[in-house]
Amino acid sequence: MTETTTPTSSNFIRTIIDEDNETGKYDRRVHTRFPPEPNGYLHIGHAKSINLNYGLARDYGGLFNLRFDDTNPEKEEQEYIDAIMEDVRWLGAEWDGRLYHASDYFEQLYQWAEQLINDGKAYVDDLSADEIREHRGTLTEPGRNSPWRERPVAENLDLFRRMRAGEFAEGSRVLRAKIDMASSFIVLRDPVMYRILHAPHPRTGNAWHIYPTYDWAHGQSDSIEGITHSICTLEFENNRRLYDWFQEALGIRRSQQIEFARLNLTYTVMSKRKLIRLVKEGHVNGWDDPRMWTIRGLRRRGYTPEGIRNFTDMIGVSKANSLVDMALLEHAVREDLNARTPRVMGVVEPLKVVIENYPKGQEEAFEVPYYKQDKSRTESRPIPFSREVYIERDDFMEEPAKGYNRLAPEVEVRLMNAYYIVCTGVVKDAAGRIVELRAVYDPASRGGQSPDNRKVKGTIHWVSAEHAIPAEVRLYEPLFAKANPEEGVDDFVENLNPDSLRVVDALVEPSLATAVPGDKFQFVREGYFCVDPDTEPGRLVFNRTVGLKDTWR
Ligand code: ATP
Ligand code: MG
């Protein structure tokens, strides 16, 4: 079997790690983490981050943590936590028992906040959120100090403890770091560390009335876990100043934030807010709709973790934002499926052919290997053949266009692995639609072998009418009609493609009767298909994962 993994190429993050290993900055340790906020399902962009973080830990013999950044109890749900763990595991990233939550550190973070207060580096501010914003200044103007900035340490401590105890109303006070209201980095203008929130938390229940901000929780969580390289997306570049400031002010174990460009992919929207809209407004059938680029959507569609890994290896990491073509993701997945899937015959849009010189009631079977692409595998199955077969509707043209190499009146083609046939007649219904073809076969061409070296126009696939089993096949087009879903509209849902799902009644070879959800196949000449979980006894459902070739415009 051909291995499809691309050798992991170097990148600027590996260069940094190599240097750190040389200087002994972290005693040659490499420890990464993936820190999702449990407020939605993971998507292909997260897969880039997971594969990057896990891949670095794996390649450097280091460690990888999964950490839920669960600092905002209002938007977080257990459903998302469970789904994220399932998806990360499915992608192949193993955290080996190192599953953590920012909420595990609430007490330590609280103690560290008191330490900063005691050191004169944090204060309780009574300004409202709006007032804080007004005082913050702009990119061109410095901010102004809050009137509460010079509160004595004892008063700050007292107020902060009472904030924790739940004595004050939401929004009435915050804890802020005392840094520099004139800093050219707005994130350093006395950022908020804690806000009051009388909301129960999925893990800590009603224990807390204050919750840490992302900036206050993140770097300290990294430090507690011994993370060495804290990899995040570019929009956190400025936050790095604050990340460093907190760790330095506390005098705790250091870690290094490194930013990379997030994945942007054509025909997708990545923000959770938009993904939630697609689901809630019913534009798709749930988070795992195979048209979605959520990990569960891709999984249901038939994508493999290896295919996704090929993709993330191919695109690499960089410091510059860019837009990746969806065709590249499909290419990576197709390569993986090509190597691993058995070849079977399924007729997606069937047209009946009656072979008039094949004896009624006769049947025979052709033993056909499953893995023509892989000489090391010898599995095969018998494919039954009989007088009536179905072929693909578009493998016949009554008046063949120039260069058309399939069946047409008086034209001879090979039924794959079976016999040569010539079309001898066309049967139409009252509306003039072709409903059946008549043909004759050459008994001397058994197995699809030419008896006399004569050439045929082409080779087409088929299923025996008597033996084929019906299947529902779901064919997908991109969910959006535009490569950039935001193009030319106020609201991206206006760019939804109304034809993104087409369901057809297909016929497949009988060996597929035992297929179970998740099984993947190449339907020869048609593409890659995956058995859908909607399959039940007597109802076989397939998703077309991807076609055989790149058909993007
Ligand atoms: P939102 O949609 O609200 O911006 P998010 O996708 O950033 O949310 P998080 O749970 O905060 O969600 O993300 C977890 C990790 O995944 C972060 O480290 C983030 O940098 C990374 N990540 C998110 N989107 C992408 C993307 N498109 N490409 C690469 N990494 C991403
Ligand atoms: Mg985020």
Side-chain angles (χ1 to χ4, degrees), residues 33-37 39 43 45-46 48-49 231-233 235-236 260-264 270-273:
R33 87 287 171 262
F34 176 65
E37 219 183 314
N39 61 353
H43 53 59
H46 294 115
K48 174 175 178 177
S49 174
I231 298 162
C232 65
T233 40
E235 66 275 19
F236 291 99
F260 73 101
R262 64 171 45 231
L263 170 66
N264 300 305
M270 292 286 188
S271 120
K272 282 180 196 150
R273 197 173 45 82

Side-chain angles (χ1 to χ4, degrees), residues 374-392:
D374 182 356
K375 298 281 172 279
S376 73
R377 300 192 65 168
T378 53
E379 301 98 308
S380 66
R381 81 296 192 192
I383 304 181
F385 183 83
S386 62
R387 182 178 147 92
E388 296 187 356
V389 299
Y390 283 94
I391 64 166
E392 210 67 61

Side-chain angles (χ1 to χ4, degrees), residues 334-446:
R334 186 184 295 118
E335 277 206 338
D336 180 53
L337 293 174
N338 177 41
R340 70 167 69 226
T341 53
R343 271 54 174 161
V344 298
M345 291 203 285
V347 175
V348 177
E349 294 184 70
L351 174 62
K352 189 186 245 186
V353 182
V354 178
I355 302 163
E356 294 183 305
N357 60 338
Y358 195 89
K360 280 193 181 135
Q362 179 173 314
E363 63 178 67
E364 64 191 300
F366 300 101
E367 193 67 26
V368 178
Y370 273 122
Y371 298 96
K372 288 217 169 102
Q373 80 281 24
D374 182 356
K375 298 281 172 279
S376 73
R377 300 192 65 168
T378 53
E379 301 98 308
S380 66
R381 81 296 192 192
I383 304 181
F385 183 83
S386 62
R387 182 178 147 92
E388 296 187 356
V389 299
Y390 283 94
I391 64 166
E392 210 67 61
R393 187 165 274 280
D394 67 9
D395 278 339
F396 176 78
M397 263 184 119
E398 195 171 12
E399 289 165 37
K402 201 162 174 280
Y404 186 81
N405 286 329
R406 292 166 275 166
L407 196 61
E410 310 307 325
V411 168
E412 186 168 43
V413 297
R414 176 191 291 110
L415 292 179
M416 191 178 286
N417 301 307
Y419 288 108
Y420 286 10
I421 59 165
V422 177
C423 174
T424 52
V426 179
V427 182
K428 295 181 182 174
D429 64 12
R433 183 179 146 89
I434 299 171
V435 291
E436 191 178 295
L437 301 177
R438 299 278 157 163
V440 294
Y441 84 118
D442 177 357
S445 62
R446 190 167 196 281

